Amino acid sequence: MSGRRPARRPARRRPARRSKKQDDQLALLGAGVLALGLVITVVHWLLVHWWILLIAAMVAAVAGGLWLHKARQRAEWERVRARALRMRIAELDALDHRAFEFAIRDLMRRDGCQAEQLGGAGDNACDVRAVDPMGRVWAIQCKHRRDGDRGSAVGVGVLQQVNGTARQVHGADVAVVLTNGRFSSKAIPWGAEHRIHLVDRRLLGEWAADSRPLWDLLDRIPPPRRPTALS
């Protein structure tokens, strides 16, 4: 036996393994190529069959026209319904406080206002905010009384809250406290002194059952912000 050791073979290098990031990039690249090929195929097919695009455009135009026509019809029906809205004071008495706020909102809309109901937590003493056709902003605080004018009177405290937020927070030109009940004897002069308009049960009933807007029933309303169509 020879004392020579057999020559060692050089170790084979293992091929470098791709990282997960490289695998993700390759997968993304493959997906992009596949998507591009699909788009090219679809575009080529549509160019060959161009008449399908024409039919689809015609169908879309007809469908869009029908949708627009129905939307205009619904808007017109809503305007007609709003103009015809009349409510008796007994109907307002039967509402809960939240439904009462929505009823006041709808009556303001009947008068041609853009109105929204805000009542709830954090309403800053404004249950209904409206902008009338003359551009004036209204902040209305609603106080519903289940027993009507036999319930508790709305006092100066409510008016003070409205006085502190109607103009400063809501930008109101007209601040209103409205109730299906009554106001206390102290609230009436306090409201006049601080330009808070009070709408009691009698005035509310007249407004809700009539077709005249609320500003025609109140005194000392600020002048219009913008000219009306009739001026």
Side-chain angles (χ1 to χ4, degrees), residues 95-115:
L95 301 175
D96 61 31
H97 73 280
R98 186 56 51 84
F100 183 67
E101 294 169 4
F102 280 105
I104 301 306
R105 180 205 64 181
D106 290 344
L107 287 168
M108 292 299 287
R109 288 181 177 179
R110 179 199 70 183
D111 293 348
C113 299
Q114 298 176 358

Side-chain angles (χ1 to χ4, degrees), residues 136-155:
R136 295 173 298 213
V137 177
W138 293 63
I140 305 175
Q141 175 76 338
C142 303
K143 290 298 177 183
H144 185 266
R145 295 292 185 258
R146 185 178 59 183
D147 298 325
D149 55 4
R150 296 189 302 276
S152 60
V154 179

Side-chain angles (χ1 to χ4, degrees), residues 26-84:
L26 288 174
L28 184 61
L29 179 61
V33 172
L34 182 63
L36 179 61
L38 181 61
V39 169
I40 293 174
T41 302
V42 170
V43 170
H44 177 72
W45 186 87
L46 288 175
L47 289 175
V48 174
H49 302 83
W50 58 267
W51 51 271
I52 293 181
L53 288 176
L54 181 61
I55 293 175
M58 292 174 61
V59 170
V62 171
L66 289 175
W67 180 87
L68 183 61
H69 176 69
K70 289 183 178 180
R72 287 175 176 171
Q73 271 192 333
R74 286 195 298 269
E76 182 61 28
W77 291 338
E78 181 62 25
R79 284 193 291 269
V80 171
R81 186 199 68 80
R83 286 195 297 266

Side-chain angles (χ1 to χ4, degrees), residues 212-227:
R212 287 185 297 170
L214 184 56
W215 47 90
D216 281 356
L217 304 175
L218 298 176
D219 297 326
R220 299 186 301 163
I221 294 295
R225 283 195 179 190
R226 58 173 177 254

